[in-house]
Amino acid sequence: MAKVPVQFTLNGSEKAEFVESGTTLLAALRDKIGDTSPKGGCHQGTCGACSVIIDGELRLSCLTLAETCGGADIKTTAGLAEGGVLHPLQRAFLDAFATQCGFCTPGMIMAAKVLLDRTPNPSREDVVEALSGNICRCTGYEPIIQAVLLAARANSQNAA
Amino acid sequence: MSLALRTFSSMKDANAALQVSGTRYLGGGTLVVRAANEGDVAVSSLVRVDDPGLSQIAVSGGKVRLGASVTMAAVARHPELAALAPAARAVGGPAIRNMATVGGNLFAPAPYGDFAVALLALDATVVTEGGEMPIETFLAGRDTSRVIVTAVGFSLPRAESFRFLKVSRVKPKGVSVLSIAALLELAPDGTVTSARIALGCMADRPIRAKAAEKALLGCKLTQQEIAPALAAAGEGIAPITDPVASAWYRAEVLPVHLGRLLLN
Ligand SMILES: Cc1cc2nc3c(=O)[nH]c(=O)nc-3n(C[C@H](O)[C@H](O)[C@H](O)COP(=O)(O)OP(=O)(O)OC[C@H]3O[C@@H](n4cnc5c(N)ncnc54)[C@H](O)[C@@H]3O)c2cc1C
Ligand code: FES
Ligand code: FES
């Protein structure tokens, strides 16, 4: 199968790779580029563990073909910490015990990030809705909801 | 997985490429890439068209035209499409809605196709390069259709005349037990003067509840007067069975939910 070039920005840095036509973005990120923060849980669109942010919108990297991402701005959880300092969402997930096995966590954090970017002070319902495409088999969800609300409060305190 | 993707700038060339066996059009990919991930070898190549016009929403003079690549998220947030937002928001979770297209929803087998149920109630027109056809005709022939849908068109309903309901077990984003869309016109005294009702999960694709539509004419929307329409709702249905619900269960609860939609 012919290889095709793909070029995009990942967490602020330019990436260029050759992939087989039909390669998913999830496979390209994990197996080619080495960003293993998006997880492959189901490859069916149902678990949300592979969620990434493409041009500001939450998407499932398991159902996105890499070659459709030419020129895109892609963000993953691996790019959130700055200079070894965790992002407020990452901090809140630790503080609220919102991560157990951790498999769902990068997807949850991506879904929460697009929410907080648009709605800095979300209601509980907003959070539930924003995370509704992400499955967690460990926590029972409540700590995750609390973590997102905690991160929102931390952000607004920092801004004040 | 080996899937060859070819991108065309011309609809004509893409339609020609689609005639090759094993080739499918790539919309948002939520069904077709999923099928490939699952090992469906029936799909060996995909085609797409990079025409920005396919993602356009046009609303003017009470008419709406949605390009086939318009996503559920784009419909849900469009200020002039508030009447359709509940149907668009009924599809999947936030990431799915950012990907799932209007065109793809027309092909989605039950329990999917919630937005297509709304389009069927609205008597939408399905547009291809070859011309336009009523959505009912399109849905009936979709299994053998080898042509790219470019847009759908319909008259924008007044918010109060259009109702949509999706019943699911997992809130807020589970797949449908059933979905119902109804376009109802009422006389000033509340009598139903026209009714068009579409059902999801009551066959392998959206269907109309024609007997119920007929039974509603001349009725007021009261428990008593809608009773014959609810009794007729099951005429001609062949609900699907899946892990969410059996055909029997879906048929049993259909009149209950139709009643709630009408009385709401
Ligand atoms: C986790 C999950 C949850 C979901 N939940 C729902 C739900 O609640 N409700 C619901 O209705 N659906 C749901 N879906 C199904 C699906 O996401 C939607 O039906 C969506 O609208 C399909 O659109 P798409 O663009 O992704 O289709 P694609 O996967 O791109 O295409 C689907 C089929 O349609 C054909 N096609 C697509 N566009 C065109 C076109 N313009 N012309 C000709 N052929 C075309 C393709 O060739 C393919 O055969 C869900 C899917 C997943 C994975
Ligand atoms: S791996 Fe993409 S949604 Fe589960
Ligand atoms: S922490 Fe294990 S799946 Fe969520």
Side-chain angles (χ1 to χ4, degrees):
Chain A
M1 175 89 36
K3 296 220 173 189
V4 289
V6 292
Q7 198 172 4
F8 48 71
T9 307
L10 177 66
N11 299 321
S13 62
E14 292 289 325
K15 302 286 173 195
E17 279 292 339
F18 284 97
V19 299
E20 277 182 16
S21 184
T23 301
T24 64
L25 177 62
L26 177 65
L29 289 175
R30 291 181 60 88
D31 305 339
K32 284 278 181 178
I33 292 169
D35 179 350
T36 54
S37 64
K39 307 293 179 212
C42 65
H43 304 272
Q44 298 289 294
T46 28
C47 75
C50 66
S51 301
V52 298
I53 301 173
I54 304 181
D55 295 332
E57 288 195 338
L58 191 70
R59 299 210 174 215
L60 300 171
S61 61
C62 73
L63 299 182
T64 303
L65 297 186
E67 57 209 283
T68 63
C69 298
D73 177 29
I74 302 176
K75 293 196 164 64
T76 67
T77 299
L80 287 183
E82 279 181 40
V85 180
L86 293 182
H87 184 276
L89 270 166
Q90 292 172 304
R91 188 74 258 158
F93 268 63
L94 289 177
D95 292 345
F97 301 104
T99 187
Q100 286 185 27
C101 81
F103 201 79
C104 70
T105 309
M108 290 285 180
I109 287 183
M110 287 290 100
K113 184 167 188 308
V114 285
L115 170 70
L116 297 189
D117 286 349
R118 283 177 202 174
T119 315
N121 292 304
S123 66
R124 188 191 151 84
E125 288 67 41
D126 292 337
V127 176
V128 170
E129 170 62 35
L131 301 180
S132 63
N134 295 71
I135 290 176
C136 175
R137 289 289 86 141
C138 302
T139 65
Y141 299 101
E142 194 53 38
I144 299 179
I145 297 166
Q146 292 309 324
V148 179
L149 293 170
L150 182 67
R153 282 199 298 276
N155 279 342
S156 60
Q157 273 162 15
N158 286 346
Chain B
M1 181 177 66
S2 63
L3 257 189
L5 172 67
R6 288 200 289 160
T7 304
F8 294 90
S9 51
S10 125
M11 190 58 70
K12 194 159 173 278
D13 295 345
N15 269 319
L18 200 59
Q19 306 313 312
V20 179
S21 90
T23 306
R24 290 235 237 140
Y25 185 77
L26 174 66
T30 59
L31 290 172
V32 80
V33 177
R34 184 169 80 160
N37 286 351
E38 211 171 31
D40 182 348
V41 289
V43 190
S44 55
S45 40
L46 295 171
V47 299
R48 64 173 183 152
V49 181
D50 62 356
D51 173 0
L54 289 173
S55 301
Q56 264 166 21
I57 298 180
V59 186
S60 80
K63 298 276 179 212
V64 181
R65 194 179 163 102
L66 303 177
S69 303
V70 167
T71 62
M72 296 298 132
V75 174
R77 67 173 168 251
H78 196 282
E80 289 177 274
L81 299 179
L84 280 167
R89 264 199 300 267
V91 175
I96 289 284
R97 287 197 289 278
N98 285 335
M99 303 171 73
T101 67
V102 169
N105 209 265
L106 290 173
F107 288 88
Y112 299 142
D114 296 314
F115 194 73
V117 170
L119 291 174
L120 177 58
L122 293 171
D123 197 11
T125 302
V126 176
V127 186
T128 66
E129 217 192 17
E132 306 192 348
M133 68 177 100
I135 185 168
E136 237 170 321
T137 315
F138 170 81
L139 288 172
R142 75 176 181 186
D143 297 348
T144 50
S145 156
R146 306 287 298 172
V147 58
I148 298 167
V149 172
T150 56
V152 296
F154 52 89
S155 299
L156 186 63
R158 285 180 297 114
E160 62 275 20
S161 57
F162 187 65
R163 304 175 186 205
F164 179 85
L165 172 80
K166 167 170 166 172
V167 180
S168 58
R169 297 194 180 205
V170 179
K171 303 282 184 319
K173 67 126 243 180
V175 298
S176 280
V177 171
L178 57 85
S179 52
I180 312 175
L183 184 64
L184 301 174
E185 295 300 338
L186 308 182
D189 72 348
T191 312
V192 176
T193 54
S194 87
R196 206 178 143 98
I197 300 173
L199 307 173
C201 297
M202 292 299 145
D204 66 347
R205 65 199 72 199
I207 56 168
R208 274 174 70 190
K210 288 188 181 166
E213 290 172 357
K214 216 166 136 198
L216 267 185
L217 293 178
C219 294
K220 293 213 168 89
L221 296 179
T222 63
Q223 188 96 50
Q224 267 168 355
E225 293 197 26
I226 66 167
L230 301 191
E235 248 176 64
I237 63 169
I240 59 157
T241 288
D242 67 1
V244 169
S246 65
W248 174 85
Y249 178 81
R250 285 185 158 102
E252 285 295 306
V253 299
L254 171 63
V256 178
H257 292 294
L258 179 59
R260 286 182 193 161
L261 182 80
L262 293 174
L263 296 175
N264 191 325

